[in-house]
Amino acid sequence: MKLLEERIQKDGTVKEGNILKVDSFLNHQMDVELFDLMGQEFKRLFADAPINKILTIEASGIGIACVAARSFHVPVVFAKKTQTLNIDGQVLSSKVDSFTHKKTYDIIVSKKFLTQQDHVLIIDDFLANGCAVLGLMDLIRAAGAVLEGVGIAVEKGFQTGGQKLRDMGIHLESLAIVDSMDAATGRITFREQPHQS
Ligand code: G4P
């Protein structure tokens, strides 16, 4: 999505350790009008899928997912990061290894809100090694729901997540794929995606 790439070029900054900071418009301060256009683009890209629910993970995925949901006219469920154990069997849970934060955490969703009736689109802000998305896919599998696709705002194309998901045959759409970034020069390059606006 050219508009998102241009915004990343304009307002994104590259930090040591291959971290792209986009907190002025994506995951701290949020440009909701941009989110609206991103949501419309997700809707166009997943137009053929019978999606009835969007699944994301707290915290930064929630804003993007909620605005996208207005284009899909479906509810959003977010997985909670928690220390609480699944004591009463009322939740689905999985583990996520965060590469960026160098820790493992549990994610949970109530069984009430993810069931075998659901056809799910996963939405998140970043795709790096794919651990968060794989954890969400675990929850979908445990619920007996159907994964219709994964929509990501920014994929770091030089990390392994995108390739993993595409190799699994998952319909993955990343609105911007960063192929390289350089903290010294601030230069960011993007992968061409002719089917996107
Ligand atoms: P993965 O799920 O794809 O394997 O990613 P990873 O563990 O590496 O990412 C952990 C967290 O860091 C995620 O947020 C992810 O969105 C974020 N992240 C990864 N790379 C970047 C980056 O280059 N820039 C920024 N700004 N964030 C990045 P999270 O732990 O879910 O935290 P939250 O911010 O959603 O609360």
Side-chain angles (χ1 to χ4, degrees):
M1 185 183 180
K2 282 280 167 276
L3 197 67
L4 179 60
E5 293 179 0
E6 285 162 13
R7 189 63 180 274
I8 293 169
Q9 291 285 15
K10 180 167 155 282
D11 292 330
T13 52
V14 183
K15 300 284 176 199
E16 287 301 335
N18 272 330
I19 295 294
L20 176 64
K21 272 205 102 59
V22 284
D23 56 359
S24 66
F25 63 97
L26 201 76
N27 55 14
H28 192 15
Q29 175 168 265
M30 296 181 281
D31 182 339
V32 176
E33 286 181 7
L34 174 65
F35 284 17
D36 245 327
L37 298 172
M38 288 163 52
Q40 288 165 29
E41 179 70 352
F42 282 133
K43 177 67 188 163
R44 190 181 71 79
L45 294 166
F46 291 102
D48 299 334
I51 292 158
N52 73 335
K53 196 160 283 184
I54 290 175
L55 178 67
T56 188
I57 180 166
E58 65 177 352
S60 312
I62 297 174
I64 296 167
C66 285
V67 179
R70 292 178 58 79
S71 290
F72 286 86
H73 304 285
V74 300
V76 176
V77 176
F78 67 91
K80 298 185 179 190
K81 296 173 181 169
T82 179
Q83 313 291 337
T84 316
L85 291 170
N86 179 15
I87 35 175
D88 54 6
Q90 296 305 300
V91 297
L92 305 162
S93 67
S94 182
K95 284 199 182 305
V96 173
D97 295 310
S98 173
F99 163 85
T100 307
H101 300 305
K102 311 248 178 310
K103 64 174 186 190
T104 301
Y105 54 88
D106 293 304
I107 58 171
I108 59 163
V109 160
S110 167
K111 286 181 178 172
K112 277 188 293 192
F113 304 129
L114 199 56
T115 73
Q116 54 191 7
Q117 264 65 265
D118 288 323
H119 288 250
V120 182
L121 173 66
I122 292 175
I123 285 193
D124 206 358
D125 59 340
F126 270 90
L127 177 63
N129 292 313
C131 297
V133 170
L134 291 171
L136 293 173
M137 285 168 57
D138 250 3
L139 301 180
I140 291 170
R141 209 175 298 121
V146 178
L147 174 67
E148 293 290 344
V150 178
I152 298 289
V154 185
E155 175 182 335
K156 293 161 86 182
F158 50 87
Q159 289 185 233
T160 57
Q163 194 59 45
K164 262 185 235 166
L165 298 180
R166 291 184 181 96
D167 287 350
M168 292 164 80
I170 289 162
H171 181 188
L172 168 65
E173 297 285 353
S174 301
L175 300 184
I177 304 181
V178 174
D179 262 341
S180 71
M181 53 190 195
D182 184 333
T185 61
R187 188 176 145 77
I188 303 168
T189 63
F190 295 96
R191 192 173 305 169
E192 274 294 317
Q193 299 199 85
H195 66 292
Q196 288 205 14
S197 67

